Amino acid sequence: MTLTARAVLKANRLFRDLPDPTLDQLAGLAVRRSVKRGQRIFAEGDPGDSLMGLISGQVRISATTPAGQEVFLNLLESGDSFGEIAVLDGNARTANAEAVTDVELFVVRRVDLMALIGREPRLAAELISLLCKRLRWTSDLIEEAAVLSLPARLARRLVKMAEEHGSSVAGGLELRISQAELAGFLSVSRQVVNQQLQVWQRKGWVEVGRGRVLVKDAKGLAAVV
């Protein structure tokens, strides 16, 4: 175990509430891994042989439709864990994970994690809690797609991403994301996203730039939802 590994795990949203002895054991299993921007971390169908935690950088989670279209599902940052579904049931990965920036990860092998879970019930409880959060998140996506109009879906996604990933700058919260990426999250064309953003820009709710969206009036966007 290294102090760096333990500090990273202590800051991780999934593991930070574990008792210190359990955290120490888990830190002893963690292996650090670097991934360059644009590289695939794992793909749908790959073996679910490890749990991963994000130390620094951003990771995009996506899935591929039967028609071959890539749909963006989530954007992860430092403190987030991923890959837990496949690592717990032992089946193949259900999504793709790609480094949006240069990324530092910690990786815990499935065989080591399952052995530790057998010895530490508290760790099992934390993983169950994480799975429940993932289920609620998936249910929200299904509800959003079935019930909300496109403007409401885009407004909801912008507000949520700004709260979780935005940088506070003069005038609001800045998201470093392209319109094509936003379209990927909603499974629509870039043109449709651009048209809606232009409407909101004229209202003064957002400011659109190359590879960025500045959320200036989150309350205005929230009212659309």
Side-chain angles (χ1 to χ4, degrees):
M1 183 193 75
T2 66
L3 291 176
T4 300
R6 192 186 191 288
V8 167
L9 288 166
K10 188 65 177 175
N12 184 265
R13 294 186 182 94
L14 173 59
F15 302 116
R16 61 190 175 195
D17 293 327
L18 290 174
D20 286 343
T22 305
L23 198 67
D24 290 338
Q25 291 184 68
L26 191 60
L29 304 176
V31 177
R32 199 174 181 115
R33 176 184 170 192
S34 299
V35 183
K36 292 294 185 182
R37 175 182 179 180
Q39 288 186 345
R40 184 64 58 87
I41 299 169
F42 58 71
E44 287 180 79
D46 284 353
D49 56 4
S50 59
L51 175 71
M52 300 182 183
L54 193 50
I55 299 171
S56 63
Q58 288 187 331
V59 170
R60 182 169 58 221
I61 305 297
S62 66
T64 306
T65 69
Q69 178 186 7
E70 187 176 24
V71 178
F72 298 158
L73 299 176
N74 206 358
L75 189 66
L76 306 179
E77 293 188 326
S78 177
D80 289 325
S81 300
F82 58 104
E84 70 285 341
I85 295 176
V87 81
L88 289 174
D89 67 14
N91 293 322
R93 300 288 188 191
T94 58
N96 309 303
E98 180 180 319
V100 178
T101 64
D102 288 348
V103 161
E104 290 289 327
L105 304 169
F106 68 78
V107 180
V108 179
R109 296 191 309 158
R110 180 177 191 271
V111 62
D112 296 329
L113 181 65
M114 297 307 291
L116 182 58
I117 288 173
R119 301 192 302 269
E120 298 289 344
R122 176 67 181 275
L123 179 55
E126 294 294 334
L127 288 169
I128 290 171
S129 176
L130 176 64
L131 289 175
C132 289
K133 290 176 183 176
R134 290 284 193 266
L135 181 59
R136 291 179 184 275
W137 171 76
T138 303
S139 297
D140 285 345
L141 285 182
I142 295 171
E143 179 183 357
E144 178 183 289
V147 176
L148 298 181
S149 65
L150 173 63
R153 290 168 59 202
L154 178 56
R156 183 178 183 181
R157 186 57 63 97
L158 278 175
V159 170
K160 185 174 180 60
M161 293 182 73
E163 290 173 348
E164 295 181 352
H165 308 294
S167 300
S168 183
V169 299
L173 291 171
E174 184 181 60
L175 277 171
R176 303 303 299 184
I177 190 169
S178 69
Q179 294 181 37
E181 288 173 320
L182 274 174
F185 278 115
L186 300 173
S187 300
V188 297
S189 70
R190 179 191 175 280
Q191 182 181 11
V192 169
V193 169
N194 176 263
Q195 289 173 346
Q196 187 59 58
L197 289 176
Q198 293 302 322
V199 171
W200 291 339
Q201 182 164 251
R202 289 193 291 271
K203 290 177 178 289
W205 294 355
V206 302
E207 182 180 297
V208 182
R210 185 176 180 84
R212 63 181 283 274
V213 177
L214 178 65
V215 176
K216 302 174 68 175
D217 187 352
K219 289 184 178 180
L221 292 173
V224 175
V225 182

Short mmCIF file of all heavy atoms in Angstrom, two decimals, residues 77 161-168 173-176:
data_model
loop_
_atom_site.label_atom_id
_atom_site.label_comp_id
_atom_site.label_asym_id
_atom_site.label_seq_id
_atom_site.Cartn_x
_atom_site.Cartn_y
_atom_site.Cartn_z
N GLU A 77 -15.85 12.29 -13.66
CA GLU A 77 -14.70 13.08 -13.25
C GLU A 77 -14.05 12.48 -12.02
O GLU A 77 -14.49 11.44 -11.51
CB GLU A 77 -15.12 14.53 -12.99
CG GLU A 77 -15.58 15.27 -14.23
CD GLU A 77 -15.80 16.75 -13.98
OE1 GLU A 77 -16.21 17.11 -12.86
OE2 GLU A 77 -15.54 17.56 -14.90
N MET A 161 -25.26 18.95 -16.04
CA MET A 161 -23.84 18.90 -16.36
C MET A 161 -23.12 20.14 -15.86
O MET A 161 -21.97 20.06 -15.43
CB MET A 161 -23.64 18.71 -17.86
CG MET A 161 -24.12 17.36 -18.37
SD MET A 161 -23.82 17.12 -20.14
CE MET A 161 -22.05 16.87 -20.13
N ALA A 162 -23.78 21.28 -15.92
CA ALA A 162 -23.17 22.51 -15.42
C ALA A 162 -22.93 22.42 -13.92
O ALA A 162 -21.88 22.84 -13.41
CB ALA A 162 -24.04 23.72 -15.76
N GLU A 163 -23.91 21.85 -13.20
CA GLU A 163 -23.76 21.70 -11.75
C GLU A 163 -22.63 20.73 -11.40
O GLU A 163 -21.89 20.95 -10.44
CB GLU A 163 -25.07 21.20 -11.15
CG GLU A 163 -26.20 22.23 -11.17
CD GLU A 163 -27.52 21.64 -10.72
OE1 GLU A 163 -27.62 20.40 -10.61
OE2 GLU A 163 -28.47 22.43 -10.49
N GLU A 164 -22.51 19.65 -12.16
CA GLU A 164 -21.55 18.60 -11.82
C GLU A 164 -20.17 18.82 -12.43
O GLU A 164 -19.17 18.44 -11.83
CB GLU A 164 -22.10 17.25 -12.28
CG GLU A 164 -23.37 16.82 -11.56
CD GLU A 164 -23.87 15.48 -12.02
OE1 GLU A 164 -23.32 14.93 -13.01
OE2 GLU A 164 -24.83 14.96 -11.41
N HIS A 165 -20.11 19.43 -13.63
CA HIS A 165 -18.84 19.51 -14.34
C HIS A 165 -18.46 20.92 -14.78
O HIS A 165 -17.39 21.11 -15.35
CB HIS A 165 -18.89 18.62 -15.59
CG HIS A 165 -19.34 17.21 -15.33
ND1 HIS A 165 -18.60 16.33 -14.58
CD2 HIS A 165 -20.46 16.54 -15.70
CE1 HIS A 165 -19.24 15.16 -14.51
NE2 HIS A 165 -20.37 15.27 -15.17
N GLY A 166 -19.34 21.90 -14.54
CA GLY A 166 -19.06 23.25 -15.01
C GLY A 166 -17.99 23.97 -14.19
O GLY A 166 -17.81 23.70 -13.00
N SER A 167 -17.30 24.88 -14.85
CA SER A 167 -16.32 25.74 -14.19
C SER A 167 -16.93 27.11 -13.96
O SER A 167 -17.51 27.69 -14.89
CB SER A 167 -15.06 25.88 -15.06
OG SER A 167 -14.47 24.61 -15.30
N SER A 168 -16.80 27.62 -12.75
CA SER A 168 -17.36 28.93 -12.43
C SER A 168 -16.50 30.03 -13.06
O SER A 168 -15.31 30.15 -12.76
CB SER A 168 -17.42 29.12 -10.91
OG SER A 168 -18.01 30.35 -10.58
N LEU A 173 -21.65 29.35 -15.46
CA LEU A 173 -20.92 28.08 -15.38
C LEU A 173 -20.56 27.63 -16.80
O LEU A 173 -21.45 27.49 -17.65
CB LEU A 173 -21.77 27.01 -14.69
CG LEU A 173 -22.03 27.22 -13.20
CD1 LEU A 173 -23.05 26.21 -12.68
CD2 LEU A 173 -20.72 27.09 -12.41
N GLU A 174 -19.27 27.40 -17.03
CA GLU A 174 -18.80 27.04 -18.36
C GLU A 174 -18.62 25.54 -18.48
O GLU A 174 -17.96 24.91 -17.65
CB GLU A 174 -17.49 27.75 -18.68
CG GLU A 174 -17.01 27.49 -20.10
CD GLU A 174 -15.69 28.19 -20.39
OE1 GLU A 174 -14.70 27.89 -19.70
OE2 GLU A 174 -15.66 29.04 -21.29
N LEU A 175 -19.19 24.98 -19.55
CA LEU A 175 -19.02 23.58 -19.87
C LEU A 175 -18.12 23.46 -21.08
O LEU A 175 -18.39 24.08 -22.13
CB LEU A 175 -20.37 22.92 -20.19
CG LEU A 175 -21.24 22.44 -19.05
CD1 LEU A 175 -22.62 22.03 -19.58
CD2 LEU A 175 -20.59 21.27 -18.33
N ARG A 176 -17.06 22.67 -20.96
CA ARG A 176 -16.19 22.42 -22.11
C ARG A 176 -16.75 21.21 -22.85
O ARG A 176 -16.34 20.07 -22.63
CB ARG A 176 -14.76 22.18 -21.65
CG ARG A 176 -14.15 23.30 -20.84
CD ARG A 176 -14.16 24.63 -21.57
NE ARG A 176 -13.40 24.59 -22.81
CZ ARG A 176 -13.19 25.64 -23.59
NH1 ARG A 176 -13.73 26.82 -23.29
NH2 ARG A 176 -12.49 25.53 -24.69
#
